[in-house]
């Protein structure tokens, strides 16, 4: 059976010990967030996740959302859970106190999000989307817009959406056709169809506020003619309560592979009233403000699913008796040994554990950089942290979701046939995880973002924000005898990463298709090395704490680090081999030959 | 949208050109199967698959099976399709003419099975299971049993099942508890519960014949006390028609991730009458007779799903307009370029194409070896072919299903958000494929079969049946300038395989856990090298045919071979790196440390 215990021990380790999160309270606005307060928040969030959200996860999947006459009902129990969620203030945890939020560090919020995603990813979509809309509006909205909407997003009584995709355009938003026609009163009449709109319609909040990409009549074609609009389901009255119904309606909900409790809507805008957010034709800016938060959030979904898959698989591996240890019975008193005695099962479990904990560390490093990028004392510091975020966002999104999917699948595999049965809850994680590799920019697009933008901008400055600390760590620890094997493996991986970057920079300069062909290999190399760097840092720290290790937590960290280095870092060599072979074998195949073997 | 065209061109290439299948007609019993006849069979099977089975694939998934009061109804259209299926003689294609079959080569049957699985894997389960029961009974049944059942299996009016799994035992069949008590009339009273019984109950045939593993009262504990029984739903009357209802009933059907149109049953045997098949306490033999056929069949399911996923993805990549080529617009007259211009999409398509076609060649090599192992003139030849089957069966099952799952996922990824929507049919392939990595021995078990049995038996004789032809091919072609790069890469991979085998043999001798820890890495290395060998052979042949290549089929083969060598063979280096690191990091982790990071 699926099971979930909030991984608080590891969260505390990562937050307090590994990254010194307690120092965040010295930043402006964070003085309330002492280590103890953070622990209390995590504990409460863990309780809510395990006790309120997790029990609705499978029933929500089985029941799905209901659509009738433009109205969407969420599955049984979701309304009550959401009421509890907002009563606890969770929608405002990270919100600006000026608008009623609690102003917690983003890194704390990230840990809370991970738990929500482990417990019930589909539920988490509703507040998650609101969070994206909040960020866009906070950055680009007028004061009036902020006053009208941000407090509602923060108290959770209103929710938000991102309306980007249309039937003819997903990745390529330059193809957006939705029109926004200026009206005499300064508003716009928005007309068009948006698809795949998560939380586009539901019964959890009293209003739903759409952030819509659309094109004004006199705007240029393509991406430079897109503006961002705010378009609420109910027009706010002067007193701030929901007023007249706007012309934005849900036409259908999608039947999907997973996240069935999350309503994915076709939204029809039929001359709906909307207001410009930010500058005309600069809608992509606001979109990216939503998107960057969303990408980290999606990475956290992957992380949450890998954690909960691991926990389910571990429990089963301990309880299920099947076969005998290869060296003979380990538990001769039982009719068979538990699965965990089998080397391949252990390897699978350690793969999940090392990817999950490594990815948690990496994600919190980036999330804490968000806190620093906003609040650090000097511009130099703020820039350096922002550079790191820029560079690692593709890793958090793509690798976080790849491991989410992979670990969910390993979980099913450990359960065997029982994993394939819906009742046990493990296969749902696979179906839920599958979307995370696709939305908010497919993982292929993340790779293009890395090679086309993140690597090259400011002459590679983003990259240096990652390369410098890794380089420094290697230099400082290569002579530590305890760390020799780990650091040597990390250094080899880092060398491969540098070679790969050099190759892509050189070949991609003259032929962009070479960069495109290498992109996913490069992103994966960077991912394995980043997580490897986390494991090296964790092992280093753990070695200093072995004297006081009653639960074996630190010993477990060191052993898991060794596993990662020995069993997963070798992936880098395969990726480098593929990358170094260049893009000719990909680009030289004539389009018509792709189905030469199919045709009769 | 999902689409399916039988890949007849490639099938003809593999059957006739690559492996000289036309020579099979010189074997005893195969004289009717000229090249033209084989082509006609494939064409007809392709039609049936594309026109009758494929249109029922998505509706079958949506509707699923119905269970009420012990009765199972298959989805709408399945009964009619099955009637057409047996009217066409497809259940008897490969059956012994002595019992009414057509006696076609197993390799022809394998190609037919691939098409059925592409078109409708869940449908294919029903005749597929019958095929397994047929094989077990043919090998171990008495004459009377064969006369009573084989003609019914062949004409498809009766179907078969394999009843192995019980709630407490899957992989470890030594834990079977189902009892078989001898009766005065020579029959046995079978009592127990079997789970995960595919086709255990349904409405397609007039009788369902269960082959059941059970234990006699005086049998020893464990695997050496298991016998095989035949236990029909309706007891055959002397005239061969179904008579009295037997005490074998379906108690429930499972709700699964996929293959929803295939009824997965809980079967309750309540003193059901059954008859011993083969010798007492030697039930595992009959089980393996079913299992080995089933493992090749499951590999074909993976292959079928990767083919149909590829076709869907290719069509979409050509039609969906999104973004522009990285070097500028490729189709400036269109609002955007088709997906296929993008390097990462092409890489994904070529990954699918090279894995699918490579795996098809490998599977048919093994299937043709089955024909030879049964019918070749000399015992030396028959043994050599059987050795190859033994050695490569884990590859066919595990790698065939791994690529099925991987290609199904790549297909979804190319579709983006549209791939996640049920309507487009691509996500079903992922859900259907997922079970293939689990049943008939999980892929981890296949790896143990390789290192524990196939590598070691007869002092490595099975292995030599594969190593010799590869070695010979490399020696003969390393000096061919056209083939230099391909053969060099193959030779490197082959060297890695030999090193890996050496390592496992050496370390595994003193510590079986070392072999267990290395098993999946080794199986994957063997898989990449086997498929690489196929691509090298195909490229070699294609080079001789470039003069007459109107459709570019042979050119496409060579380019795909290059892609495989450059982009996928590097996987071997990662696997070797992991394998060479040994099993210590897997086995040394104390069991209790696996959740040291979870607990608070």
């Amino acid at each position: 059976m699926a099971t979930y215990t909030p991984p608080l021990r590891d969260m505390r380790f990562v937050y307090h010990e590994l990254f010194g999160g307690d120092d965040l309270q010295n930043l402006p606005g964070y003085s309330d967030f002492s280590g103890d307060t953070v622990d209390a928040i995590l504990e409460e969030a863990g309780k809510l996740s395990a006790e309120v959200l997790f029990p609705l996860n499978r029933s929500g999947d089985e029941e799905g959302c209901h659509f009738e006459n433009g109205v969407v009902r969420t599955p049984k129990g979701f309304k009550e859970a959401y009421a509890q969620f907002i009563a606890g203030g969770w929608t405002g945890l990270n919100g600006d106190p000026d608008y009623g939020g609690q102003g917690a560090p983003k890194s704390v919020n990230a840990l809370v999000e991970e738990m929500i995603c482990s417990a019930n990813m589909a539920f988490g979509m509703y507040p998650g989307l609101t969070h994206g809309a909040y960020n866009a509006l906070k950055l680009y909205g007028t004061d009036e817009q902020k006053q009208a909407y941000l407090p509602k997003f923060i108290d959770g009584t209103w929710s938000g959406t991102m309306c980007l995709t249309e039937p003819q355009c997903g990745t390529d938003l330059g193809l957006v056709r939705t029109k926004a026609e200026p009206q005499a009163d300064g508003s716009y009449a928005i007309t068009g169809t948006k698809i795949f709109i998560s939380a586009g319609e539901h019964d959890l909040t009293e209003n739903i506020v759409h952030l819509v990409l659309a094109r004004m009549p006199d705007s240029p074609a393509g991406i430079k003619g897109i503006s961002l609009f705010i378009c609420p389901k109910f027009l706010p009255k002067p007193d701030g309560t929901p007023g007249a119904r706007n012309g934005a309606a849900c036409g259908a909900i999608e039947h999907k592979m997973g996240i069935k409790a999350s309503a994915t809507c076709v939204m029809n805008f039929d001359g709906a009233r909307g207001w410009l957010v930010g500058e005309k034709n600069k809608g992509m800016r606001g979109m990216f403000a939503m998107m960057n938060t969303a990408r980290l959030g999606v990475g956290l979904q992957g992380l949450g699913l890998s954690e909960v898959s691991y926990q389910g698989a571990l429990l089963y591996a301990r309880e299920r008796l099947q076969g005998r240890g290869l060296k003979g019975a380990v538990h001769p008193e039982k009719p068979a040994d538990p699965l965990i005695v089998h080397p391949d099962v252990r390897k699978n479990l350690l793969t999940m554990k090392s990817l999950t904990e490594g990815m948690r560390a990496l994600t919190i490093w980036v999330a804490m950089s968000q806190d620093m990028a906003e609040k650090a004392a000097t511009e130099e510091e703020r820039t350096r942290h922002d550079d790191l975020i820029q560079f690692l966002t593709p890793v958090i999104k793509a690798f976080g979701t790849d491991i989410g999917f992979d670990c969910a699948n390993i979980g099913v595999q450990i359960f065997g046939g029982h994993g394939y049965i819906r009742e046990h809850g493990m296969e749902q994680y696979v179906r839920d995880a599958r979307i995370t590799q696709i939305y908010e920019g497919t993982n292929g697009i993340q790779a293009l973002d890395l090679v086309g933008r993140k690597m090259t901008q400011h002459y590679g400055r983003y990259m240096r924000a990652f390369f410098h600390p890794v380089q420094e760590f290697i230099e400082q620890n290569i002579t530590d005898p305890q760390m020799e094997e780990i650091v040597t493996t990390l250094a080899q991986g880092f060398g491969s990463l540098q070679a790969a970057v050099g190759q892509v920079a050189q070949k991609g300069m003259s032929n962009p298709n070479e960069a495109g062909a290498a992109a996913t290999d490069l992103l994966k190399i960077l991912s394995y090395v980043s997580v490897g760097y986390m494991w090296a840092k964790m092992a280093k720290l753990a070695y200093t704490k072995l004297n006081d290790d009653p639960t074996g937590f630190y010993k477990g960290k060191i052993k898991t680090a060794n596993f990662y280095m020995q069993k997963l870092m070798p992936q880098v060599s395969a990726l480098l081999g593929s990358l170094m072979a260049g893009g000719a074998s990909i680009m030289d195949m004539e389009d018509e030959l792709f189905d030469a073997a199919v045709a009769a």
Side-chain angles (χ1 to χ4, degrees), chain A:
Chain A
M1 264 320 185
T3 182
Y4 181 62
T5 304
L8 296 176
R9 179 66 190 94
D10 199 48
M11 290 188 164
R12 289 199 306 268
F13 169 75
V14 169
Y15 187 86
H16 302 298
E17 302 173 50
L18 191 64
F19 294 121
D22 293 5
D23 294 345
L24 289 183
Q25 61 187 308
N26 302 324
L27 296 177
Y30 284 169
S31 58
D32 288 349
F33 295 91
S34 69
D36 285 349
T37 303
V38 169
D39 285 349
I41 292 171
L42 296 180
E43 203 165 315
E44 280 307 308
K47 261 188 212 161
L48 178 85
S49 300
E51 294 169 15
V52 178
L53 305 183
F54 185 65
L56 296 176
N57 191 44
R58 217 180 82 71
S59 58
D61 178 67
E62 287 293 330
E63 183 184 339
C65 289
H66 308 272
F67 176 75
E68 214 174 340
N69 299 325
V71 175
V72 173
R73 268 191 306 117
T74 54
K76 203 170 158 224
F78 271 53
K79 263 185 104 149
E80 294 74 13
Y82 186 77
Q84 225 175 311
F85 193 85
I86 65 174
W90 297 106
T91 41
L93 179 62
N94 176 228
D96 188 334
D98 287 351
Y99 301 99
Q102 296 164 59
K106 293 178 202 294
S107 40
V108 175
N109 200 61
L111 290 168
V112 171
E113 272 189 52
E114 185 209 301
M115 291 189 268
I116 296 168
C117 294
S118 284
N120 196 325
M121 174 176 150
F123 178 92
M125 299 285 291
Y126 296 97
L129 267 292
T130 306
H131 205 218
Y134 169 88
N135 283 319
L137 212 57
K138 181 146 187 283
L139 269 175
Y140 296 107
T142 63
D143 278 347
E144 204 185 354
Q145 288 170 340
K146 291 189 210 179
Q147 290 299 342
Y149 295 101
L150 298 189
K152 304 290 194 179
F153 286 159
I154 281 178
D155 71 19
T157 52
W158 295 9
S159 64
T161 76
M162 292 164 56
C163 297
L164 317 179
T165 305
E166 298 180 8
Q168 78 291 348
C169 73
T171 298
D172 186 356
L173 290 169
L175 300 173
V176 157
R177 285 187 200 145
T178 296
K179 283 183 305 187
E181 287 169 302
Q183 305 295 300
D185 66 354
S187 71
Y188 293 81
I190 297 174
T191 303
T193 299
K194 295 285 181 178
I195 63 169
F196 300 164
I197 308 308
S198 298
E201 180 60 45
H202 58 80
D203 56 1
L204 302 181
T205 57
E206 59 187 37
N207 202 359
I208 299 171
V209 181
H210 307 288
L211 285 168
V212 188
L213 288 186
R215 193 183 293 283
M216 293 193 206
D218 60 347
S219 287
I223 207 77
K224 290 176 178 164
I226 307 285
S227 307
L228 182 66
F229 298 88
I230 189 163
C231 181
K233 175 178 169 187
F234 295 105
L235 301 171
K237 286 194 285 197
D239 68 355
T241 58
R245 185 71 163 87
N246 201 357
C250 175
I253 59 173
E254 304 287 354
H255 302 281
K256 310 184 298 294
M257 183 184 196
I259 52 166
K260 295 188 179 188
S262 166
T264 305
C265 303
V266 175
M267 292 302 302
N268 297 318
F269 294 87
D270 188 13
R273 278 183 84 187
W275 289 269
L276 186 65
V277 176
E279 288 176 52
K280 177 177 174 179
N281 297 337
K282 297 279 161 83
M284 294 304 284
R285 275 196 205 160
M287 201 282 290
F288 272 113
M290 294 191 278
M291 200 56 116
N292 273 329
T293 328
R295 286 180 176 176
L296 292 173
V298 174
L300 283 163
Q301 292 180 328
L303 174 60
L305 291 174
S306 58
E307 172 69 33
V308 74
S309 297
Y310 173 65
Q311 292 190 23
L314 177 58
L315 181 66
Y316 192 75
R318 283 187 167 147
E319 291 186 348
R320 173 79 169 173
L321 306 179
Q322 206 75 182
R324 288 293 183 189
L326 295 174
K327 290 164 103 171
V330 179
H331 300 276
E333 76 288 0
K334 295 182 179 169
D337 286 333
L339 291 181
I340 200 170
V341 307
H342 301 297
D344 195 52
V345 172
R346 299 173 77 83
K347 187 183 173 200
N348 277 331
L349 289 169
L350 282 162
T351 299
M352 300 169 94
K353 178 170 161 46
S354 64
L355 288 172
T356 304
E357 294 176 20
M359 198 67 211
R360 178 177 296 124
L362 191 72
T363 306
I364 296 310
W365 187 32
V366 171
M368 219 171 269
S369 293
Q370 290 184 312
D371 291 316
M372 296 297 287
E374 192 184 316
K375 294 180 185 266
T378 68
E379 190 177 338
E380 182 275 328
E381 268 188 292
R382 290 194 297 274
T383 303
R384 185 162 47 79
H385 285 287
D386 190 62
D387 288 354
L388 185 78
I389 299 166
Q390 296 295 333
F391 192 63
L392 289 183
T393 294
V395 174
I396 301 294
K397 197 282 178 180
F399 201 57
T401 60
D402 282 347
I403 73 150
F405 185 68
D406 290 346
C407 290
N409 273 300
I410 297 174
V412 166
Q413 197 69 18
I414 289 177
F415 268 68
H418 297 273
Y420 197 67
I421 302 301
R422 293 219 300 266
E423 184 185 346
H424 298 290
M426 298 299 287
E427 60 84 43
Q428 182 188 343
Y429 300 139
V430 175
R431 291 185 290 101
D432 286 354
R434 191 62 189 83
I435 189 60
T436 64
Q437 299 169 299
I438 295 171
Y439 61 19
E440 310 313 339
T442 64
N443 288 359
I445 290 295
Q446 303 302 318
L448 284 182
D449 183 45
L450 176 69
V451 300
R453 218 174 285 153
K454 302 309 176 58
M455 252 178 65
T456 55
Q457 272 183 2
H458 307 299
Y459 306 98
R461 200 187 72 200
Y462 295 162
M463 199 152 54
R464 289 193 292 278
F466 174 76
F467 277 32
H468 283 171
V470 180
Q471 182 72 48
E472 200 178 46
F473 180 91
I474 292 170
E475 283 163 11
Q476 284 172 356
N477 293 287
I478 195 91
T479 53
D480 177 348
Q482 285 180 315
M483 289 288 291
E484 193 187 339
E485 203 188 313
I486 288 175
V487 179
T488 305
T489 309
L490 175 64
Q492 281 164 356
F494 189 56
S496 298
L497 173 62
Q498 289 170 308
V501 164
Q503 170 87 351
V504 172
Q506 194 198 337
K507 285 188 118 184
M509 193 85 82
S510 56
N511 182 354
N513 281 332
E514 282 291 332
T520 51
D521 286 336
L522 185 67
L523 175 53
K524 282 192 182 158
I525 293 173
L526 173 61
S527 301
Y528 279 105
V529 172
S530 313
V531 172
Y533 171 50
M534 291 297 108
W535 273 114
K537 274 178 76 82
M538 290 195 276
K540 173 84 185 173
L541 180 59
Y543 271 118
T544 67
K545 305 214 169 184
L546 288 175
N547 288 336
D548 181 19
D549 189 21
T551 64
F553 176 83
Y554 299 107
K555 193 162 82 169
K557 281 285 175 198
I558 292 165
K559 293 199 171 185
T560 311
N562 284 329
F563 172 86
Y564 183 86
M565 293 299 167
Q566 291 183 18
K567 294 295 180 183
L568 300 184
M569 279 294 272
Q571 279 301 321
V572 171
S573 67
L575 294 159
L576 186 68
S578 164
L579 183 145
M580 287 297 182
S585 70
I586 292 170
M587 299 313 296
D588 289 355
M589 179 93 169
E590 290 83 351
D591 286 5
E592 66 274 18
L593 296 190
F594 276 84
D595 58 6
V598 175

